[in-house]
Amino acid sequence: MALGGHALRVAAGTSGTIEEQRFRIQTVRHISSSLAAGEKLATAKAVQKHDWNRAVSEAEKIVGYPTSFLSLRWLLSDEIANVALHLRKLVGSNHPLLKTAKTLVYNDKNQQAWGLIVLLVSKAAGHAASIPEMDQDKSAGVLHSQRALAEVTEMIRTSHLIHQGIINLQSMDNAGNDLSGDSEMIFGNKMALLGGDYLLANASQQVANLRNQDLNLLISSAYRDLAESNFIGDRDEQNNPLPSKPSTAVSTLSPDCRLDELDFGDLEDNTQSMDVERALGHPEKEWSLRHVLGGGSLLGKSCQGALMLAGRSEEMQKQGYLFGRHLSLAWQACIDLQPFLLSNLPQGSQFSLVSAPVLFHLEYDPSIYAEIEKGRNSIEEIDYSSLHKAIGTGPGLERTKNLMKKHSHAAMAVLDRLEPSDARTALQNIILAMQEL
């Protein structure tokens, strides 16, 4: 509870009315108690979580301190306090923004520690001798500008997640109807829109303050990729993604792709738009494209940008992009596997219909596409339990494990090109711990 005590002292010293200070203190008390309860729960669960938590904890120590922008200076700011106050109004409304907020506060491992990765890459690669001393954070071994970029990365990622919480209140069948009875949902949409925009605006301002035009172009192209990821392939009325119809014949499985076959144009010039059309319908290419656009591009370009700020060569910057890209895809494959590690899907649970096991099994058994097509209007109409059972009997899980190993090995190969260091070891430990989740 040391964090909670420190937080309360900081909160008491912040500006604002007595009521605002009380609210901030209550907020931090709640977060501190929730974190303590979460630690006890984690201890009681499976042992494999320990390696992951330890790897992340030790990595954070190497670069100075916990790296998330969701730090005390954010939690105790007037803007975030106001957001938390308004979020209370949504309790009981079942708006998806509440689930997103809970995930961010509890630091779910599925919302990867991207800022931490950027800082570890920065420290592992070092910086050019020409960088002025005043720009260096010598205690952490990174540049002040690289730390700012790490925060930008998490802000952009978080804003994207918050924006995805906007729901469609007027589908085609409901267009033009009175929405006066949906005031809570309308308010939730406003919060999701403005909250995401607030983080995105702060991120844009922080990038501009770094005064590096090449970096500005690079991060702007990551914005574009995230936006484009929401418009690939078929969608239901809430814009939830649906897989493309398999293009191969029945029982004809495509071979696993070589890494150079997963080039969507970004391996040559990653500031240009990626080639989408040729990937749809091919399980591994479609999965890779969706998740490069939906996150891998941002992490890769942030690692590339960190090396750009360090004055490293263009070749090393490209390796930074490849590392972030492969690590993100390996992470995503690990996350995709989680629902299928259970023999039975818990009642009411869902999983991504564009996850790797689904796409691989769809190629193996195209007949399950009939079940997926029931979700054209809403993915809620799909029988996830029957899909879960079918996928568990096919080759999709094994191919997803191979997919994770392939991208993990590719990320490790990039690290092998760097000099041995505690930061490089921390990155390797994170990749190894991911295999055990």
Side-chain angles (χ1 to χ4, degrees):
M1 293 300 293
L3 171 63
H6 175 67
L8 293 178
R9 289 194 294 272
V10 175
T14 54
S15 62
T17 66
I18 294 177
E19 189 62 32
E20 288 172 342
Q21 290 181 17
R22 283 178 181 166
F23 172 73
R24 293 190 183 109
I25 291 172
Q26 289 171 355
T27 300
V28 175
R29 275 179 177 159
H30 173 70
I31 292 172
S32 300
S33 61
S34 297
L35 289 173
E39 289 172 359
K40 293 178 182 177
L41 183 63
T43 305
K45 287 188 177 180
V47 177
Q48 66 261 26
K49 269 195 166 185
H50 173 67
D51 290 336
W52 169 264
N53 293 333
R54 184 174 62 184
V56 171
S57 178
E58 291 177 353
E60 287 183 332
K61 294 175 185 176
I62 290 171
V63 290
Y65 45 81
T67 54
S68 174
F69 78 91
L70 289 172
S71 55
L72 285 178
R73 71 183 180 87
W74 277 84
L75 289 173
L76 301 176
S77 69
D78 291 337
E79 291 87 352
I80 299 301
N82 287 334
V83 169
L85 184 63
H86 288 306
L87 278 176
R88 289 180 174 183
K89 300 177 183 178
L90 293 179
V91 174
S93 68
N94 203 32
H95 195 283
L97 180 58
L98 285 174
K99 182 179 179 181
T100 302
K102 180 181 177 182
T103 298
L104 294 173
V105 170
Y106 284 95
N107 195 24
D108 186 348
K109 68 176 181 293
N110 288 3
Q111 308 309 325
Q112 304 126 6
W114 288 15
L116 174 62
I117 297 300
V118 173
L119 289 181
L120 288 172
V121 168
S122 301
K123 185 169 185 177
H127 54 77
S130 58
I131 301 293
E133 285 194 12
M134 63 180 296
D135 294 338
Q136 303 174 26
D137 180 356
K138 291 192 174 182
S139 62
V142 298
L143 306 180
H144 296 300
S145 57
Q146 290 173 326
R147 193 174 291 280
L149 179 60
E151 286 193 0
V152 164
T153 304
E154 289 205 350
M155 279 192 276
I156 295 173
R157 175 64 171 165
T158 304
S159 71
H160 179 64
L161 293 173
I162 291 174
H163 278 152
Q164 286 184 319
I166 298 175
I167 59 177
N168 180 12
L169 295 175
Q170 286 200 333
S171 61
M172 292 300 292
D173 295 336
N174 196 37
N177 290 351
D178 182 21
L179 295 177
S180 57
D182 294 317
S183 57
E184 288 183 339
M185 291 298 183
I186 293 173
F187 182 75
N189 277 357
K190 290 179 180 178
M191 289 292 297
L193 178 63
L194 297 176
D197 284 354
Y198 171 75
L199 290 177
L200 201 56
N202 273 275
S204 300
Q205 182 183 33
Q206 203 152 310
V207 172
N209 288 340
L210 295 177
R211 299 182 181 279
N212 187 313
Q213 188 58 36
D214 291 334
L215 178 66
N216 206 336
L217 175 63
L218 191 65
I219 299 302
S220 296
S221 66
Y223 286 173
R224 179 205 61 218
D225 293 340
L226 284 173
E228 189 172 350
S229 70
N230 287 320
F231 298 95
I232 294 177
D234 296 327
R235 302 265 164 170
D236 75 351
E237 291 183 346
Q238 293 298 333
N239 205 42
N240 295 303
L242 298 170
S244 301
K245 198 167 186 176
S247 58
T248 55
V250 177
S251 299
T252 302
L253 299 183
S254 59
D256 292 341
C257 294
R258 302 188 312 272
L259 292 176
D260 61 337
E261 293 179 309
L262 300 177
D263 179 7
F264 309 113
D266 57 319
L267 300 186
E268 291 297 324
D269 182 2
N270 61 3
T271 61
Q272 301 299 313
S273 296
M274 298 186 199
D275 184 1
V276 173
E277 296 304 324
R278 289 187 298 171
L280 298 180
H282 184 287
E284 187 174 351
K285 289 182 180 179
E286 178 175 337
W287 177 85
S288 301
L289 174 66
R290 286 180 182 275
H291 296 295
V292 169
L293 287 172
S297 168
L298 175 61
L299 183 57
K301 290 175 181 179
S302 295
C303 293
Q304 178 182 349
L307 301 187
M308 183 187 296
L309 291 170
R312 290 305 187 185
S313 66
E314 289 190 6
E315 174 57 28
M316 184 174 279
Q317 291 175 33
K318 182 178 180 180
Q319 292 301 312
Y321 173 72
L322 291 175
F323 173 77
R325 187 183 194 264
H326 288 305
L327 179 60
S328 175
L329 291 177
W331 229 323
Q332 187 62 49
C334 175
I335 292 168
D336 287 356
L337 276 172
Q338 300 307 306
F340 299 97
L341 299 180
L342 303 171
S343 56
N344 293 302
L345 190 69
Q347 187 174 2
S349 298
Q350 296 181 351
F351 49 83
S352 171
L353 296 173
V354 292
S355 62
V358 175
L359 293 176
F360 282 132
H361 191 84
L362 193 56
E363 181 185 48
Y364 168 75
D365 180 13
S367 66
I368 68 168
Y369 195 73
E371 182 63 40
I372 292 174
E373 282 193 309
K374 296 178 182 177
R376 288 287 176 187
N377 292 329
S378 172
I379 59 172
E380 304 290 337
E381 298 173 12
I382 292 174
D383 184 352
Y384 283 89
S385 181
S386 65
L387 277 181
H388 184 272
K389 290 178 181 177
I391 292 168
T393 62
L397 301 186
E398 191 61 32
R399 293 189 70 181
T400 302
K401 292 176 183 177
N402 293 336
L403 189 64
M404 180 175 68
K405 291 177 183 176
K406 175 168 65 177
H407 287 290
S408 296
H409 291 158
M412 284 287 201
V414 175
L415 292 179
D416 289 341
R417 301 177 63 154
L418 301 176
E419 294 293 327
S421 66
D422 54 355
R424 190 186 82 164
T425 301
L427 287 167
Q428 291 170 333
N429 288 341
I430 286 175
I431 294 173
L432 292 174
M434 182 174 60
Q435 314 300 313
E436 303 298 326
L437 287 174

